[in-house]
Each structure stands twice: as C-alpha cells, then as structure tokens.
Amino acid sequence: MTTPLLLAALLTCLATVIAVPAARVKWCVKSQQENLKCMNLAATHPVFACVVRQNTLECIIAIEAGEADAITLDGGDIYLAGLKNYDLQPIIAEDYGPSSETCYYAVAVVKKNSNFNIRDLKGKKSCHTGLGKSAGWNIPVGTLLSLGLLEWSGTEDSPVSEAVQNYFLASCAPGAERGSKLCQLCKDDCSRSQAETYYDYSGAFQCLKDGVGQVAFVKHLTVPENEKSDYELLCKDNTRAAIDDYERCHLAKVPAHAVVTRKDQALADLIWTSLTSVQESQLFSSVGYEPAKNLIFKDSTTKLVRLPSSMNTFLYLGAEYVSIIHSLKRERNPASASPAIKWCAVGSDEKTKCDEWSIFSAINGAPAVECQTASTFEGCLGKIMRKDADAVAVDGGQVYTAGKCGLVPALVEQYDKGKCGNSGESASSYYAVAVVKKSSKLTWEKLRGKKSCHTGIGRTAGWNVPMGIIHEELQHCNFSSFFSSGCAPGASPDSTFCKQCVGSDKSVGDEAKCKASAEERYYGYAGAFRCLLEDAGDVAFIKHTTVQENSGGNGPPWASGANTADYELICPNKAPVEVSEYASCHLAVVPAHAVVTRPDIRDKVVNVLLDQQIKFGSDTSDWKMFQSETSKNLLFKDSTKCLQEVPLGTSFDKFLGPEYMNAIKSLRECSETTPELEKACSFHSCQRKN
C-alpha cells in the first residue's frame, strides 16, 4: 500500500522530471538587434536560447565555459576560437550559392570616379570590417605585405597594426585601439560590434559610400545590386575591374563563415538538427532589423552545409590562410632555422627505427633527422600540413590524399638498383596482384562470398586497385555484399573488413586491432600475406614481390613454413598462374611509394634525404635506411634500393598517372571509404586540388 508520504515524494520526483527543460542551443549574440532576432527565433523554435555578450572574444570565452553553445564567425575569429586555450571547432559552414559556395572572395572596393590602383593605396583612407577579420584585415594586410607595398620588420619591433597606421592616412578598423589612426574614421566607438556603424561588411562599405574612406576591404557580395555601377574593384595586377568581375579580380578566395562550438559530437548534432528545422528566411535575413545587417548569419547565405566530423580549424581555414595569419604575427621561430628535417613515424616500431636514424645522423654533429610520431598515416599528413613534421613516405593512395591536402611528392622509391644514380631513369612501379592458395582452387570469378586480406583502407595494391575493379562490377559501394568478411586495417571497427583482423599479441583490450599501423599484425603487404597464410582470408591483395619476400626461408619467423609454390595469382577473365608470372596476370601497374612534403620545404627535404642515403642507403652502412629488423617496411619499403628526386613542379595527379587517377576517382564515389582527412581537405571549392 502506498503511503501519503511516499505518494507525495513520487509526485515531487515526477514534477521535477517534467520541469527539466529539453536540451537547448544557447546562441551567443553581440548586439541589441542580433538579440532581438535571436529572441524572435527562440519564440517560434524553443530549442534556441539567447546569450548576450559584448563582442566576439567574450562569446568565444562563454562557449568554451559552457555558458553559450554556438556562434557564427569569420576566418580570423575561427582561428582565434581554435587556439588551445579555447579549443572550439567549426561544424557548419555558410554557403553563398553558385558564385562561391562555402568560400567567398575578399575584394578591395573603390568609387568608380576615384583615380588610383592598388599600388597607390599608401596615404589613402581605408575602411575595414574589423581588426583581425578575414576580408577586412588579414587578407588585405597580408596582400600588401606580399606585394612589397607595406613595410614591416616583424612583431619584435612593432605590431603589424602600427605599420598599417603608417601606411594609410587614416582608417576605420573596428576593434583597434581607440584614439589611434586606425579608429580615426570610425563613426561611433570603434568597437568590433554592431555598436560601431562602420563595423562588418555593410559598415565598411557605408564608410566608403559616405566618402569617409577611399577604399573598403569587404567580401564580393557586399555592394548592393543597384549600386554596382558606381564602384570598381582593385586588382593585384594594378588594374581595375567591374564589381561582378570578382572571380578574376580579388585579393584571395577564403573559407566561408562557420558555426563554431565545443568539441562535443552530441552538441554538434543538436545544433545541426535545430538549425535545419528553421526556415531559411528566418535565418538568413535581417529585414525588420534595419539598419543592421548580417545578424547571426550573413544575409548572403543561401544554405548551411555540415562539415565532415574530422574537420578542425586548420583544415577548415587551409594552410594558405593560416600562413597569412602567421605572417601577420611574424614571430621568429628558431625551429624553422634548424638544418634537420622532422620525419613522421607511424606507430611504435617505426618510431624506434626513426630514433635510431636520428642518432646515427648526429654522429658527426647535429642530427639531420628528428622524429615525430602519429598513430596513422593520416595523422602524419596532418602533422606535415601543420608544420609539426616535414615528410613521410606513403603509397599511391596516400599520395592522392596528400595531394588533395596540398602536399607534393618530392622523392620516389626506386626498386631497381641499376636505375639508381641516373636522374633520367623512369620512376619505379610495381604490380598490384591478387594471391590465393593453390589448394583453394579459387579464381577471380569465384571470389564473391569469400574472406579478403587487404594491406589497408586507401592503400594502392591492397584496396584502391582491387576494390576499384569490384566497384565497376557491382556498380555500388556495398563491398560487404561481395566479401563475407575481411581485414582492411583502417576500416571502421564495426566494419565487415575488421572481422578478420587480429591486432597485436595482447589477449585483452587490444587497441591495435584493425589499426592502420604495424601494430596490427595483418597490416601492410607482409601483414595481408600473413592473413592469407594463417587462413584468416581466402585472397590477399598485395604487390608482386610480397610472396617471394616472405616464403622459401625469407621473411620473419611467422613466414618460416611458407613456400612460394603453394600460392598462385588470380585476375579477371584468366586462369590462375604461378606467382612469378605477375607480368601476365595482375590487377594494375601502379606507381612506387613516394616521400611527400609541403611545397615550401620540398628542396630541403630532397637535399637532406639524398645526403642521408649516401651515408645509410647501402647494405654496408652502419645503419640501414631501407632495411627493417623488428617488422617489415618500416619508414621505407625494404625493397627500396635508393630514393630518386621527383622533378620540381610535378603535381600529385601527374605523378600517379591517368590510369591510377581514373581508378581512384571511381572508387571515391564510395564516400565511406574515402579517408576523413581527404574529405576535410576537399570540402572547400576554394581549396580543392583537381
């Protein structure tokens, strides 16, 4: 029997549960007009709440502290929000339609009847959207520096804002120090908020329109349609162009404004679903809040686009834009003057070999090689992009991803000793093959429903080539409908292609299982062959030399019982052949592995590595670059005889060749197997490589 006291307690608990509000998105706003728009939005969509702060920095701090959840920021502020002390990330981008998509053009606008070009800006009056903002500050100031028009020796002597003050006669750059020349033309308090009339795109344009300034640094969609005939753009080649000619005449094409929040997937999901429930007319219009514009989102936004989950500040802004921001700080970095290159090792075994390399390279002085480490090749590519590392050797599929992220092939592995030392020789290539046990009686046509062994997701011989062929057969991307299970290191842990993976030797809590590194025993060429040898799979997709390298007494202990004669090659529309007959039965001829790096450090990487292989590239050297002891193919493939320089200016697509490019582009229709890093690097039209 329920007592009155117990019943009262139950009712109190029930009331408490009912009173708990549903999850809400707390949007940070910076002005009275923005707050009014936000409150009107919250009235019709209670999932939103409004948090008022005085400026962007206060909003960033509030989001980091959990007092607010989201705000839309421009590139310069996205960079600030992504710094370690705030650690916010972009999750949703504004899309401005066919003219620019998730990017926009930073332009310099002047009145048509004025008589000067970009090289005549010294001594003029300037209008900026705000200090530290993309189109209004970072891009134009960076452009003036790169063109040699603005003189500045660096932050050790003075901030860049001081150089800008000395360059222009007077300016309005909201957010600058009040009382300075950078605030001289501002109409109100020079704050980086709607309280300053000349703040943001519309404000900077109004500053020009009012005749207060002579040039406005804004985005390409700022000038109203009915006023375009009265204004022109300043081009970097010292000419002028019509307002609508921004694709040819602009200072830079930069990533769109984006919604930032804390690194919390559930919160990101809530923000996305909440925003997509709102009509675009409510989000992307400032009608009814005049004279304010661009409230919460830019008025020129046509839709919102969700960013890949792997996106971070650096990937969103891109190396080029981040470099511009760094150039405006111009802090001397002692590490950049080091003669050593930073090699990126994947996993613990590679790190051990790299550390040995570093020690041997320093025997007669400072080390020529220093070591960084990452758990995956994607992690290494990210480190190279951020300048935390300089180089890594990767296979063709990873060259493709690296190229999409702006890196370049600098050196290529050569597997024919007779071609070493001759710069005119063609680069090495190898055959991608499918290997089965003779006893299985398998042919290519009987593979459906069998178990597969792959070198790794996104790898050339182990994934891109065979799955590209299978993709053409299937005409869809559900590869688990073809193979019953498999091991493809780097696949999602719950994938069919992780079922046959074994990880390391740990019995419990094995984090190495299905990991794309040497810690997974079935990773790489030798690993995929081991997967076949140990009956974890029925077919192994590897390179043509792998069986011989791991049989007949060759290779590590696990391969001691393997005999080459027990295996054969299969390929479409052909009977199986001996392993040695790869020239007549293979899936593709593919390019050799290559060392990739950033374009700005390419020459240094080439010079250091060519010098290192003179010292450590032979079989008689004290330490051997191209041999591995604890595992196979560490840092470089063990079959490498030397490294050859890739001609300067060779793009990744030219290096890979048309056949391989066609195969990988076809496979990229299957987005679930596209590396997350590549998705992030390829997101923007303004950063897309080929």
Side-chain angles (χ1 to χ4, degrees):
M1 182 176 178
T2 306
T3 65
L5 189 60
L6 179 58
L7 182 61
L10 288 170
L11 289 172
T12 302
C13 289
L14 182 61
T16 304
V17 170
I18 294 171
V20 172
R24 292 192 300 173
V25 176
K26 302 187 291 291
W27 207 274
C28 197
V29 295
K30 303 176 291 179
S31 69
Q32 186 178 351
Q33 300 99 313
E34 219 173 34
N35 189 39
L36 181 58
K37 179 177 178 179
C38 182
M39 289 174 66
N40 288 337
L41 178 64
T44 55
H45 296 77
V47 70
F48 291 99
C50 310
V51 175
V52 183
R53 292 293 184 269
Q54 293 301 307
N55 53 51
T56 298
L57 180 57
E58 287 189 12
C59 277
I60 290 171
I61 292 170
I63 294 170
E64 189 272 334
E67 298 165 2
D69 296 322
I71 187 174
T72 309
L73 300 177
D74 102 310
D77 293 326
I78 292 170
Y79 176 83
L80 174 66
L83 295 177
K84 286 183 180 177
N85 41 334
Y86 308 119
D87 204 25
L88 306 186
Q89 68 174 3
I91 59 166
I92 299 165
E94 294 181 344
D95 188 308
Y96 307 119
S99 69
S100 53
E101 298 176 321
T102 57
C103 302
Y104 63 89
Y105 296 90
V107 295
V109 178
V110 293
K111 288 185 176 178
K112 201 173 208 174
N113 59 10
S114 59
N115 187 27
F116 57 87
N117 289 317
I118 198 166
R119 291 189 172 275
D120 308 312
L121 282 179
K122 187 169 186 178
K124 301 294 189 291
K125 294 179 287 185
S126 60
C127 306
H128 307 260
T129 59
L131 197 73
K133 292 180 78 71
S134 295
W137 184 265
N138 292 342
I139 296 300
V141 174
T143 300
L144 293 173
L145 283 169
S146 67
L147 293 175
L149 302 175
L150 179 63
E151 294 181 4
W152 181 52
S153 56
T155 51
E156 288 80 6
D157 299 318
S158 63
V160 72
S161 56
E162 192 170 309
V164 177
Q165 283 188 85
N166 295 333
Y167 184 78
F168 291 112
L169 180 64
S171 306
C172 177
E177 185 180 349
R178 294 176 191 179
S180 71
K181 283 174 66 180
L182 291 177
C183 282
Q184 192 173 323
L185 301 184
C186 291
K187 195 167 186 178
D188 302 300
D189 61 357
C190 194
S191 66
R192 207 166 172 270
S193 73
Q194 298 287 347
E196 169 53 58
T197 302
Y198 292 158
Y199 169 69
D200 207 10
Y201 300 112
S202 56
F205 176 66
Q206 193 65 44
C207 167
L208 173 66
K209 184 177 177 179
D210 290 347
V212 174
Q214 296 165 283
V215 59
F217 298 110
V218 291
K219 66 182 287 189
H220 70 290
L221 298 171
T222 303
V223 181
E225 189 68 36
N226 61 348
E227 298 181 53
K228 287 181 178 178
S229 60
D230 297 328
Y231 297 90
E232 289 183 321
L233 303 176
L234 298 184
C235 311
K236 288 194 285 187
D237 64 2
N238 211 38
T239 62
R240 286 190 175 206
I243 292 296
D244 285 333
D245 198 13
Y246 51 79
E247 288 191 29
R248 180 184 67 82
C249 177
H250 57 265
L251 306 183
K253 195 175 183 186
V254 294
H257 291 214
V259 176
V260 302
T261 188
R262 296 179 296 282
K263 292 180 178 177
D264 180 333
Q265 190 58 50
L267 178 57
D269 292 341
L270 175 64
I271 293 169
W272 173 250
T273 54
S274 302
L275 287 172
T276 51
S277 70
V278 182
Q279 291 183 354
E280 291 175 354
S281 59
Q282 289 178 273
L283 289 179
F284 313 140
S285 172
S286 299
V287 174
Y289 307 99
E290 292 86 353
K293 293 184 179 181
N294 303 316
L295 301 176
I296 302 180
F297 292 98
K298 294 288 159 278
D299 297 342
S300 53
T301 306
T302 59
K303 64 178 180 180
L304 298 176
V305 181
R306 189 158 191 187
L307 304 180
S309 58
S310 59
M311 190 70 81
N312 58 36
T313 297
F314 180 88
L315 293 174
Y316 185 75
L317 296 177
E320 190 175 357
Y321 185 77
V322 171
S323 292
I324 289 172
I325 294 177
H326 287 165
S327 73
L328 301 186
K329 299 179 183 298
R330 199 176 288 176
E331 296 148 343
R332 289 198 183 99
N333 183 5
S336 65
S338 168
I341 61 167
K342 298 189 288 287
W343 190 268
C344 192
V346 180
S348 56
D349 287 348
E350 283 209 344
K351 178 64 162 57
T352 300
K353 181 178 177 181
C354 187
D355 287 339
E356 292 173 359
W357 186 8
S358 183
I359 291 167
F360 274 93
S361 75
I363 286 176
N364 296 316
V369 177
E370 296 170 355
C371 301
Q372 293 289 316
T373 187
S375 59
T376 65
F377 276 102
E378 276 192 52
C380 274
L381 296 182
K383 286 199 168 197
I384 295 169
M385 292 161 63
R386 292 192 302 272
K387 301 188 178 182
D388 293 333
D390 295 326
V392 66
V394 295
D395 101 316
Q398 292 153 342
V399 169
Y400 183 87
T401 297
K404 286 288 187 179
C405 293
L407 304 183
V408 295
L411 294 146
V412 60
E413 294 179 347
Q414 175 58 258
Y415 311 124
D416 184 342
K417 192 169 186 178
K419 293 183 178 180
C420 290
N422 301 320
S423 58
E425 289 286 355
S426 57
S428 272
S429 58
Y430 61 93
Y431 294 89
V433 297
V435 180
V436 297
K437 288 184 176 179
K438 280 184 180 178
S439 58
S440 70
K441 305 297 183 186
L442 273 177
T443 64
W444 183 270
E445 287 68 31
K446 293 179 182 177
L447 279 182
R448 190 184 286 266
K450 297 297 187 282
K451 298 175 293 184
S452 55
C453 303
H454 306 262
T455 58
I457 289 284
R459 298 285 297 267
T460 298
W463 185 266
N464 294 339
V465 169
M467 302 315 263
I469 294 171
I470 291 169
H471 176 250
E472 288 183 18
E473 284 184 31
L474 296 176
Q475 291 298 303
H476 63 71
C477 300
N478 184 16
F479 296 124
S480 59
S481 70
F482 190 88
F483 290 115
S484 60
S485 63
C487 178
S492 171
D494 56 358
S495 163
T496 298
F497 292 100
C498 277
K499 284 184 180 177
Q500 301 303 123
C501 294
V502 290
S504 63
D505 291 321
K506 290 182 183 174
S507 52
V508 241
D510 192 354
E511 294 178 359
K513 182 177 169 65
C514 203
K515 195 174 181 181
S517 79
E519 294 167 63
E520 162 60 60
R521 282 180 291 168
Y522 290 167
Y523 174 70
Y525 299 111
F529 177 61
R530 183 177 184 179
C531 166
L532 173 66
L533 184 148
E534 296 179 352
D535 294 320
D538 302 304
V539 58
F541 298 110
I542 48 183
K543 62 174 288 195
H544 68 287
T545 60
T546 305
V547 177
Q548 292 95 324
E549 289 167 354
N550 294 277
S551 60
N554 298 321
W558 58 260
S560 59
N563 294 306
T564 307
D566 294 335
Y567 299 89
E568 58 190 5
L569 306 180
I570 60 172
C571 48
N573 306 312
K574 191 178 175 79
V577 303
E578 295 295 326
V579 169
S580 59
E581 295 180 37
Y582 51 81
S584 66
C585 180
H586 55 264
L587 306 183
V589 181
V590 294
H593 290 208
V595 175
V596 294
T597 186
R598 298 184 305 279
D600 63 283
I601 201 173
R602 181 246 179 221
D603 291 350
K604 179 179 179 182
V605 168
V606 168
N607 292 335
V608 170
L609 289 179
L610 290 181
D611 176 68
Q612 286 296 292
Q613 79 171 1
I614 291 172
K615 296 173 180 173
F616 306 116
S618 72
D619 293 336
T620 57
S621 56
D622 293 336
W623 180 84
K624 299 171 181 61
M625 283 177 68
F626 308 131
Q627 287 185 27
S628 308
E629 292 181 6
T630 58
S631 187
K632 278 280 190 180
N633 303 313
L634 300 178
L635 306 183
F636 303 97
K637 279 165 64 179
D638 294 344
S639 54
T640 303
K641 303 306 178 189
C642 66
L643 298 175
Q644 291 179 310
E645 183 176 354
V646 175
L648 182 64
T650 303
S651 60
F652 76 96
D653 52 329
K654 185 179 178 183
F655 174 80
L656 293 174
E659 281 188 359
Y660 189 74
M661 285 295 293
N662 289 338
I664 202 166
K665 282 179 179 177
S666 171
L667 192 59
R668 285 305 186 258
E669 292 175 26
C670 306
S671 62
E672 65 273 16
T673 63
T674 301
E676 288 298 318
L677 178 67
E678 188 178 313
K679 289 180 186 177
C681 289
S682 306
F683 177 78
H684 288 304
S685 62
C686 50
Q687 294 170 228
R688 206 164 289 148
K689 311 288 182 186
N690 294 308

